[in-house]
Amino acid sequence: AIEWMQKANDPDGDGLFRDPYEYWNCDSNGKGPKAVTPSAMAWAAMDRAAWMARVLGDAEAAGHYRALADKTREAVLRELWREDRGRLGCIGAEGIWRGHPQIWEEYLPIIAGLLDPGKGRRAMRWIEAHYGFEPQPGVKLLSTSDWWPIRWSCQWVATGDTLLAALAGMKCGDADLWWPYVKTVIGSAFKSDFPGINMGISNAGAGGGDREDVDSVDPHVHCVVRGLFGIEPAIHENSFTICPAFPTGWTKASIRTPDISYQARKVGNEWIFRMVTPKAMVKRVRANLSGPEVVTKAERVSVVRVKCGVPLPPQKPAVEPTVLREQAEAQGKLKPRSLMQPEREEHILFDLADAYNVTPSEMVRTAFVYDYADTPSPVQGWWGNPGLDSVPSPRVLEASNGVKFLTAGQPVAPLAPERKSLLALSSWAPYPLPGGAVVKIEMRCQSLWLLLQSYVHPMKNYIPNGELVLRYADGHEEVVSLVPPYNLDCYFSHFSLEGVPVSLNRLAGEWGFVVPDEGAHGDALEIKCDPRRLLEEIEIRATCSEGIIGLAGLTVVEAASKE
């Protein structure tokens, strides 16, 4: 199995792995070629294989698998862990490190033992600060990511993932931070429409979605035994390690399992443990992560007093949280600027007819190699991406804020040929589209308005998908990055915080996992210019794989005359 995994998912042999389907809620989220979760799980497999070989007495195999595991661990910590960011991130085909992970990209390496508690604590505090929210008092929820477009599982508030994240946080010494999330998950089972465990949690703290799924049920036990009560068995070595993560304020706790049971009570700065096992076992006990360890002899019943360690200091994440679109809307931060009539009269609509290189349907039918794959596949239909068709439309389109664009338009006659209406740019293998284009402007401008109809991959959010280079006649240059979800979005989901949606074309085909909102649209984006300088030209670049920049229209707001 490990040999197959190396051949299929680490073809270059660098010790970092890819995978088209790495975890339960990763629809459309296959990652590579240097991905966190596949690499962490590959490390775990090779690490365990080394231990298995050792138990079997095969020293050669143990050394082989240990060398493989060490290679992957070193590669993960060298390339995927960023000390300045305090978390793990994947690297795509274009070599860009992705710093907005899905939550399992941090908790799975911690639970598997790849990250130490110091690194793990920093990573999980970033996750909690960015993806944790409180829709109403006492309800603490955790999104699985902050990516767009929204798909059913990209941002799903899942019971199983929440508990595994809490487990990782508890194992790193942050019981108080994660306990409210555990309480919300447990409480959701008592607020649902049946007496059991649901897959998800609503903003009211009630259970919903699928019932009794294995990936929702198992984490309850996993989180309680390994996290809250801190039990790590090594029964084959006749020992147990116990390091609970009890929240501050707890003074007693007890647990009973077939392999070990214990009662604990707090007296002053000590915890007293009474532990019982079916046969004589060694128990290695700490009161918390920072406390000293007490080791018993091999015995069935053990009673120990263990001092608490110094509480870990508070630690803020390295980067302040981003604001998701629905939160920004609730705070009234998304109100597009409406253009006044004098400004509208200064608009110059550019005719890009000679620059258009594809129709909308051709854009989404173009085949590309996704980061985790080896063979080209079209955008349309891939994990639910809808098709995009042209519909009869006038050449001049107007956004809700008053800006107008001259587009290709589409004829009304049903037998008339579909016009090319997009300048599509992409730096995405096998590179069937140009990576950039230059448009001559040659005037002083107050601002530019771009009508963009693009494809954005969820995993490439928060990194530059494109750039707009403003070149002035005096040699001055300015670069504006196009980064979803701040100022760029996808043709079938409007989530750009700066853009204004403009109805453009029509969605076609099956939806799959995609949740439609406004339908097919373009995004009107304003780019400020220096009105004192003559803007000679602009260059539009596509800068990462798994993304297409589509330009459907360009309008210039001419600078006021010096006279």
Side-chain angles (χ1 to χ4, degrees):
I2 289 175
E3 289 176 1
W4 178 89
M5 183 174 64
Q6 288 179 291
K7 181 179 180 180
N9 291 336
D10 183 20
D12 61 1
D14 67 350
L16 296 173
F17 290 74
R18 65 185 186 185
D19 206 313
Y21 200 88
E22 64 183 39
Y23 198 56
W24 76 267
N25 58 350
C26 63
D27 302 306
S28 80
N29 299 330
K31 298 185 187 69
K34 303 173 186 288
V36 172
T37 300
S39 298
M41 294 299 97
W43 170 83
M46 294 181 293
D47 174 77
R48 275 51 165 185
W51 283 104
M52 292 164 62
R54 178 183 171 187
V55 170
L56 292 171
D58 189 338
E60 182 179 354
H64 171 68
Y65 290 117
R66 178 55 57 206
L68 291 177
D70 289 346
K71 179 180 180 180
T72 291
R73 183 178 185 275
E74 291 168 4
V76 168
L77 297 180
R78 180 180 63 251
E79 298 190 51
L80 306 186
W81 171 263
R82 287 281 298 270
E83 186 63 27
D84 60 328
R85 303 292 186 91
R87 57 191 181 276
L88 291 162
C90 297
I91 297 177
E94 71 294 301
I96 300 176
W97 183 81
R98 302 199 288 268
H100 278 248
Q102 289 169 292
I103 63 174
W104 54 84
E105 291 175 37
E106 310 304 317
Y107 73 61
L108 283 172
I110 294 168
I111 293 171
L114 180 60
L115 284 189
D116 61 46
K119 286 183 170 61
R121 184 169 184 252
R122 293 182 66 197
M124 293 312 299
R125 277 191 167 258
W126 189 94
I127 291 293
E128 193 277 335
H130 284 72
Y131 303 158
F133 61 102
E134 192 170 13
Q136 56 181 274
V139 177
K140 294 287 286 186
L141 299 178
L142 190 70
S143 294
T144 62
S145 80
D146 59 355
W147 299 350
W148 304 88
I150 297 180
R151 305 191 178 210
W152 78 278
S153 62
C154 274
Q155 297 179 347
W156 186 261
V157 180
T159 54
D161 281 282
T162 301
L163 289 175
L164 293 177
L167 165 60
M170 289 176 169
K171 289 179 70 66
C172 295
D174 265 338
D176 288 342
L177 182 66
W178 290 98
W179 176 241
Y181 293 92
V182 176
K183 286 204 301 183
T184 297
V185 171
I186 302 304
S188 71
F190 298 93
K191 298 179 181 179
S192 61
D193 57 356
F194 88 111
I197 295 171
N198 286 97
M199 191 178 191
I201 315 172
S202 73
N203 282 355
D210 293 348
R211 299 176 175 181
E212 301 291 347
D213 286 347
V214 65
D215 41 34
S216 303
V217 174
D218 282 8
H220 282 71
V221 180
H222 204 44
C223 179
V224 169
V225 175
R226 292 190 68 191
L228 194 60
F229 284 87
I231 298 174
E232 295 288 350
I235 297 176
H236 59 294
E237 296 178 347
N238 289 320
S239 69
F240 275 93
T241 297
I242 296 173
C243 180
F246 298 141
T248 300
W250 281 32
T251 58
K252 60 181 179 179
S254 64
I255 186 171
R256 184 174 64 188
T257 81
D259 300 307
I260 187 171
S261 301
Y262 77 73
Q263 296 174 322
R265 61 187 178 91
K266 191 175 184 182
V267 179
N269 194 42
E270 292 183 328
W271 279 87
I272 302 173
F273 292 83
R274 184 180 188 275
M275 300 158 288
V276 180
T277 51
K279 64 177 183 177
M281 305 279 278
V282 173
K283 292 94 172 176
R284 296 178 172 85
V285 188
R286 285 184 289 172
N288 56 13
L289 187 63
S290 59
E293 184 179 73
V294 173
V295 182
T296 74
K297 61 183 180 181
E299 55 192 9
R300 286 190 62 252
V301 179
S302 303
V303 179
V304 299
R305 298 176 71 99
V306 187
K307 290 184 180 296
C308 295
V310 177
L312 295 172
Q315 185 181 38
K316 290 185 177 181
V319 182
E320 291 302 313
T322 53
V323 178
L324 296 181
R325 181 174 181 85
E326 64 268 23
Q327 294 168 321
E329 286 176 335
Q331 297 168 16
K333 294 182 179 179
L334 296 181
K335 293 183 178 179
R337 180 178 69 87
S338 293
L339 277 62
M340 304 303 291
Q341 187 60 37
E343 186 178 4
R344 298 185 190 190
E345 293 174 356
E346 301 295 333
H347 283 185
I348 298 176
L349 282 59
F350 273 55
D351 188 350
L352 301 177
D354 291 336
Y356 295 134
N357 58 356
V358 294
T359 67
S361 58
E362 287 172 342
M363 181 186 81
V364 297
R365 288 203 307 266
T366 305
F368 299 94
V369 177
Y370 288 83
D371 285 5
Y372 69 85
D374 295 315
T375 55
S377 179
V379 169
Q380 179 178 343
W382 178 78
W383 278 108
N385 288 348
L388 186 60
D389 290 341
S390 299
V391 295
S393 65
R395 292 200 68 194
V396 177
L397 296 181
E398 183 173 349
S400 59
N401 66 340
V403 63
K404 294 181 179 180
F405 296 95
L406 180 63
T407 70
Q410 294 297 331
V412 176
L415 298 180
E418 183 182 21
R419 293 174 182 157
K420 293 184 185 296
S421 58
L422 286 173
L423 171 56
L425 309 171
S426 185
S427 294
W428 186 359
Y431 310 108
L433 298 174
V438 174
V439 180
K440 293 290 185 181
I441 305 295
E442 297 179 336
M443 66 178 68
R444 290 190 305 110
C445 306
Q446 191 72 34
S447 62
L448 303 175
W449 283 91
L450 308 180
L451 180 58
L452 299 169
Q453 189 167 56
S454 306
Y455 171 67
V456 171
H457 194 288
M459 287 179 297
K460 299 303 172 76
N461 278 216
Y462 303 99
I463 65 173
N465 280 223
E467 292 177 342
L468 184 71
V469 183
L470 308 177
R471 294 197 179 100
Y472 294 92
D474 61 3
H476 180 72
E477 286 191 358
E478 294 178 13
V479 177
V480 178
S481 291
L482 301 176
V483 182
Y486 302 122
N487 59 3
L488 189 68
D489 64 16
C490 194
Y491 66 89
F492 55 81
S493 181
H494 174 61
F495 51 82
S496 168
L497 296 177
E498 295 182 19
V500 179
V502 180
S503 180
L504 187 62
N505 303 313
R506 176 182 60 198
L507 297 178
E510 297 181 1
W511 278 97
F513 296 115
V514 178
V515 179
D517 45 16
E518 296 88 357
H521 76 287
D523 219 41
L525 178 66
E526 183 179 24
I527 306 294
K528 294 291 187 180
C529 304
D530 187 343
R532 301 167 301 175
R533 291 184 165 101
L534 178 68
L535 182 60
E536 192 171 70
E537 64 183 25
I538 63 171
E539 181 180 358
I540 307 172
R541 301 168 176 167
T543 57
C544 77
S545 61
E546 298 184 319
I548 303 171
I549 306 296
L551 182 65
L554 173 65
T555 295
V556 168
V557 181
E558 193 172 12
S561 171
K562 291 183 179 180
E563 299 176 0

